[in-house]
Amino acid sequence: MKSSIKLNKSWLAQIGDEFDKPYMQELKQFLIDEKAKGKNILPPAPLWFNALNSMPFEKLKVVIIGQDPYPTVGHAHGLCFSVMPEVKPLPKSLLNINKELMDDLSIDNSHTGYLQSWAEQGVLLLNTALTVEQGNANSHQGKGWETFTDAIIKAVNDNKEHVVFILWGANAQKKQIAINTDKHRIIKSVHPSPLSAYRGFFGSKPFSRTNQYLEHFSEDPIDWQL
């Protein structure tokens, strides 16, 4: 896989060795086999590493962790929670994220779910699995992606300081074991899904709290306006 991917050089320096490990070779073979069976893998291959390619490692300030890509053609583009600009209506979790942003900072992003500008400012929008079969949510869990994304989180934890990790929901919060809270900040709540948002996501103010932390360490805040 390493020879066929296009990954930002700064990220290759941090996690390039992962591509030579047995688990990644097994993941590569799994994806090849799935394609051979005629299954459509989302997002398109050039976007699998979009979260990493949207910023150099040095620019990263914030990590938001999702689960896996949207399983609908034309929705996922490699950033967790984000959808392509033309997608309407927005996924329900994303509607709730926009609702909380409006309540928190009076920013109205109801017109779009395309979060690429967040990524380009240093927000790593990282799913724990980077691919999915069309129409089959969670179908690529347990195939190796989680080990890879664990390595990404470890690299950020070990080689950066003052990063904000936003952990929404139980799956994302499992990752906190790898985060050193002496040098990073964790902001966590329940997931923005309609099934849970009312139990503590609404009112959690993750966006203003993130910017307060960044500004405390003389970092430019994130412009959450899309």
Side-chain angles (χ1 to χ4, degrees):
M1 186 181 290
K2 186 175 182 180
S3 61
S4 61
I5 67 158
K6 294 182 179 179
L7 189 62
N8 184 293
K9 290 182 179 179
S10 65
W11 282 102
L12 273 177
Q14 295 294 330
I15 58 170
D17 290 347
E18 296 298 310
F19 292 98
D20 296 322
K21 294 182 177 180
Y23 83 87
M24 190 57 89
Q25 299 305 311
E26 293 171 7
L27 172 59
K28 178 181 178 180
Q29 190 59 51
F30 166 75
L31 294 170
I32 290 172
D33 291 345
E34 291 294 282
K35 285 186 176 181
K37 295 174 186 176
K39 295 182 179 179
N40 191 18
I41 296 174
L42 301 176
L47 294 174
W48 290 355
F49 301 102
N50 187 29
L52 303 177
N53 286 331
S54 294
M55 80 196 81
F57 181 81
E58 294 75 20
K59 191 175 179 180
L60 185 146
K61 301 176 183 179
V62 180
V63 179
I64 298 178
I65 299 175
Q67 189 161 315
D68 66 341
Y70 295 113
T72 303
V73 172
H75 284 209
H77 64 109
L79 307 181
C80 72
F81 295 105
S82 184
V83 292
M84 294 297 285
E86 63 273 12
V87 173
K88 295 288 172 57
L90 300 182
K92 292 180 180 179
S93 291
L94 192 48
L95 286 172
N96 285 339
I97 290 170
N98 285 344
K99 182 177 179 181
E100 176 60 19
L101 181 57
M102 183 67 181
D103 181 67
D104 186 5
L105 290 172
S106 299
I107 291 174
D108 184 2
N109 282 345
S110 60
H111 60 289
T112 185
Y114 186 60
L115 308 182
Q116 187 70 41
S117 70
W118 293 3
E120 292 168 0
Q121 293 177 73
V123 181
L124 180 63
L125 294 160
L126 183 68
N127 279 314
T128 54
L130 301 189
T131 59
V132 70
E133 177 189 342
Q134 177 185 342
N136 191 5
N138 303 324
S139 52
H140 290 186
Q141 287 192 343
K143 304 300 183 181
W145 281 127
E146 291 87 352
T147 303
F148 180 71
T149 50
D150 283 349
I152 293 171
I153 293 168
K154 184 178 188 303
V156 173
N157 178 74
D158 293 352
N159 300 313
K160 297 282 291 182
E161 292 188 346
H162 313 314
V163 172
V164 181
F165 289 83
I166 299 177
L167 308 180
W168 291 328
N171 286 331
Q173 289 171 25
K174 291 177 183 177
K175 299 289 191 183
Q176 66 186 318
I177 192 171
I179 301 167
N180 180 353
T181 54
D182 289 335
K183 63 174 183 174
H184 302 295
R185 174 74 187 277
I186 292 176
I187 296 175
K188 61 183 179 179
S189 74
V190 298
H191 195 276
S193 162
L195 298 175
S196 57
Y198 66 93
R199 298 203 310 264
F201 175 75
F202 292 135
S204 62
K205 300 189 180 302
F207 307 102
S208 61
R209 291 163 66 194
T210 292
N211 281 351
Q212 288 165 7
Y213 181 84
L214 293 175
E215 290 175 315
H216 178 77
F217 290 102
S218 300
E219 291 277 3
D220 290 334
I222 304 300
D223 180 2
W224 300 105
Q225 179 72 60
L226 300 173

